[in-house]
Amino acid sequence: MSREYPVKSTLLGVEIMTAWAASRNQNDFMGERLEALKRELDDPTNDIITALTNLSAHLLQLRHEEQGASFAETLQLIARYVTQQEH
């Protein structure tokens, strides 16, 4: 597998999350953007899952490099945050 694939996939993840961030201010922008992306992708479900997984891995690595947080610490922090949002 070429290095180009993970880079393209991760950038797709960035694009998806950029649409998500914009949708917090603009009602259905994310849905519209995701539908457009899905039409462009060969295997939309797999490609989107892979893209978001790659992006997540890069975010974990970045937090580790910048703040010294282990992957486990970051994942526990996210789990606590999500759990708190439920209540």
Side-chain angles (χ1 to χ4, degrees):
M1 181 183 306
S2 74
R3 175 145 169 72
E4 183 180 334
Y5 175 77
V7 170
K8 282 180 141 181
S9 179
T10 302
L11 292 175
L12 173 62
V14 170
E15 187 172 351
I16 291 166
M17 293 312 297
T18 299
W20 175 82
S23 73
R24 296 176 64 93
N25 297 321
Q26 305 168 13
N27 286 339
D28 198 25
F29 176 77
M30 183 174 182
E32 293 170 14
R33 184 63 194 129
L34 277 178
E35 288 304 314
L37 281 171
K38 287 190 323 191
R39 287 189 296 274
E40 298 170 14
L41 300 171
D42 295 330
D43 183 358
T45 300
N46 187 52
D47 292 345
I48 289 170
I49 289 169
T50 301
L52 294 175
T53 300
N54 288 349
L55 178 60
S56 297
H58 283 289
L59 291 171
L60 287 170
Q61 184 66 39
L62 181 63
R63 186 161 191 269
H64 175 70
E65 290 174 8
E66 295 290 322
Q67 299 176 357
S70 73
F71 296 166
E73 289 172 317
T74 300
L75 293 169
Q76 289 169 359
L77 177 67
I78 293 168
R80 277 195 307 273
Y81 176 78
V82 169
T83 300
Q84 290 173 355
Q85 298 304 306
E86 289 180 333
H87 304 301

